[in-house]
Amino acid sequence: MSAAGDSRIAVAPPRPRRFGAVNGRAMWSLYRREQMRFLRYAGESIAGPAISSLMFLAVFHLALGGEGPVPGVTMAQFLVPGVIMFSLAHSAFESAAVALFHDKIEGIIGDILGAPVTPLEVIAALTLAAASNALVTAAVILALMSFFVDIGFHAPALILVFALAAALVFALLGLIVAICAERWDHYSAAETFVVFPVTVLSGAFFAVSSLPPAVQWPFLANPVFHALEGFRYGFTGYAQASLWVAAGVLAALILALGATALGLYARGYKLKP
């Protein structure tokens, strides 16, 4: 048969997809997936914390009302940053921990482990997604509280910086707990005995400086205290600790938790069968 009569068509073999130094497509897919999961359950992830935060503000304001511990700042104005930070921390932790742990126990994590995406890209995408979710929740709470409290903005940039730093800390902590946990009980125990105490004992609802000096050291050693002080300074212009120290503590904690989460995920610790 002549070449002209040959009906066969030469097909080139498929070329492997090149992702470059960073697989941005995979990171965006993971990030968007967590965002959609967060919005799908907005009643629990946004409305729930918003309502509970308003209740916290009302109860503490009624109990402690009047002037706050800072001259020129009412108790309600003093409480607003603490209540928001409390909700932001819990939202970041839950968003990261619940999502990853659910994927782990359902076996979905195997698809991610086998995908052409590095451990660093996975941890970065999941951490940023959880932090973004927490910031959205905090923004909604702040908007609602502005209807009831005359909120000042002394340094808006610091508000965003310390809110983001705190969200990253608790998102990374959530990923570590999700990797190490084997049952939902383990996640609940971490939230009850780690996240709740460090957020409550951070000065969110009271001024640490009003306590006797002999009992202040546990609060000053709490990293959430430093995150809250920078965050509160952005609203009131008042801080009980150095903002540079606070920034240094949070930066070191983010690096330490990030390295831990990355190391555990890269090893497949309690992720691979």
Side-chain angles (χ1 to χ4, degrees), residues 97 100-102 104-106 175-190 269-272:
L100 181 57
F101 188 68
H102 175 270
K104 185 172 78 168
I105 63 174
E106 294 295 331
L175 293 180
I176 293 172
V177 169
I179 292 173
C180 297
E182 297 179 351
R183 302 192 304 270
W184 283 109
D185 294 346
H186 297 162
Y187 157 77
S188 300
Y269 182 73
K270 294 189 177 180
L271 294 174
K272 299 177 181 179

Side-chain angles (χ1 to χ4, degrees), residues 240-259:
Q240 304 171 80
S242 167
L243 299 185
W244 288 108
V245 172
V249 168
L250 292 173
L253 196 56
I254 290 171
L255 291 175
L257 292 174

Side-chain angles (χ1 to χ4, degrees), residues 39-134:
L39 295 175
R40 188 180 305 122
Y41 301 100
E44 301 174 10
S45 57
I46 300 177
I51 294 173
S52 63
S53 296
L54 290 175
M55 293 177 64
F56 270 124
L57 180 64
V59 169
F60 280 98
H61 179 57
L62 290 174
L64 305 174
E67 287 295 321
V70 183
V73 177
T74 66
M75 180 55 70
Q77 292 171 329
F78 179 82
L79 288 172
V80 164
V83 174
I84 295 176
M85 180 60 70
F86 178 86
S87 297
L88 180 146
H90 282 265
S91 178
F93 176 81
E94 291 175 2
S95 182
V98 171
L100 181 57
F101 188 68
H102 175 270
D103 289 351
K104 185 172 78 168
I105 63 174
E106 294 295 331
I108 303 174
I109 192 65
D111 296 334
I112 301 177
L113 290 172
V117 54
T118 66
L120 179 59
E121 291 165 348
V122 173
I123 293 298
L126 296 181
T127 301
L128 291 175
S132 300
N133 297 341

